[in-house]
Amino acid sequence: MAMLTLLLLLSAAFTLGDRMTARLQFRNPPCLLLSDDLVTFAADQRNPCPRGWFQFNSRCFMFVKTARTWPNAEYLGANLASVHSYEESQFLQAVVLITTGSFPLTWIGGFDAVQDRLWFWSDGSKFDHESWAEGEPNNNNGAREPCIHFNFGAENGWNDVSCGKSYPSVCSIRTCLILQTVN
């Protein structure tokens, strides 16, 4: 088993070679609509991710069409996606658009575990970016809404919602990039 693992790692190293993760450059200022460049960028970012996954920086993302509750949406060892920048948020919307042709309400991995608007990501990463729709989060009508979905409202932003509702989801896994160095 150790030999097989070593062979797979070496094979990945040769396959990856000097490949660097592409950096997305916007031609225009950020806007509410996804640019053709972003959709093309998302469609091209499939390696070194498993089939059906899209790469952005050091993670792979997949849209899961099956509607599930937030707690049941964790997918085959992956986590619901955390979002750490405006560009990453736009990339996830492009992945959903490529997969579905639209912008359905979709789970991401944010949750409010302590009931005082202190948000966390299910993958344990730092909650360092927010993209709330206007007026959100709001615990609508006083109901506890501790989970996040996106593609909400006119700006396709984030919304806090009950975790028991069923939506499709975006999941993520980390890639294992092997970097070559030349001495």
Side-chain angles (χ1 to χ4, degrees):
M1 186 57 126
M3 182 62 100
L4 178 60
T5 302
L6 181 60
L7 284 172
L8 287 172
L9 287 173
L10 287 173
S11 175
F14 286 114
T15 301
L16 290 173
D18 293 329
R19 185 172 188 273
M20 299 294 286
T21 300
R23 293 281 180 199
L24 177 61
Q25 298 295 322
F26 287 101
R27 289 186 186 162
N28 300 314
C31 61
L32 299 179
L33 299 176
L34 295 175
S35 71
D36 290 339
D37 290 345
L38 188 59
V39 171
T40 300
F41 175 78
D44 289 342
Q45 299 306 303
R46 292 185 185 255
N47 291 323
C49 299
R51 185 180 189 126
W53 294 72
F54 298 84
Q55 182 185 3
F56 186 88
N57 293 332
S58 64
R59 293 188 298 154
C60 298
F61 297 91
M62 183 173 75
F63 177 78
V64 179
K65 295 178 194 176
T66 304
R68 294 184 173 100
T69 63
W70 190 94
N72 292 325
E74 299 281 304
Y75 182 76
L76 296 178
N79 290 102
L80 287 168
S82 56
V83 184
H84 301 284
S85 68
Y86 175 81
E87 292 80 12
E88 190 170 49
S89 182
Q90 292 290 290
F91 179 84
L92 294 183
Q93 286 183 317
V95 167
V96 172
L97 180 63
I98 289 166
T99 308
T100 68
S102 65
F103 297 100
L105 296 173
T106 303
W107 288 126
I108 55 177
F111 68 101
D112 176 16
V114 292
Q115 301 184 35
D116 65 358
R117 310 327 265 163
L118 183 59
W119 295 93
F120 296 91
W121 291 117
S122 62
D123 66 6
S125 62
K126 183 177 180 182
F127 199 90
D128 55 1
H129 173 76
E130 298 178 17
S131 188
W132 296 106
E134 187 175 334
E136 300 299 335
N138 65 358
N139 278 334
N140 194 27
N141 294 323
R144 177 149 160 69
E145 296 182 315
C147 293
I148 301 175
H149 64 194
F150 74 113
N151 288 334
F152 179 80
E155 64 274 13
N156 288 330
W158 299 356
N159 177 44
D160 61 328
V161 66
S162 167
C163 302
K165 295 189 176 198
S166 291
Y167 299 108
S169 57
V170 176
C171 293
S172 68
I173 56 173
R174 295 213 174 273
T175 60
C176 181
L177 296 177
I178 300 170
L179 302 176
Q180 291 180 326
T181 58
V182 178
N183 294 331

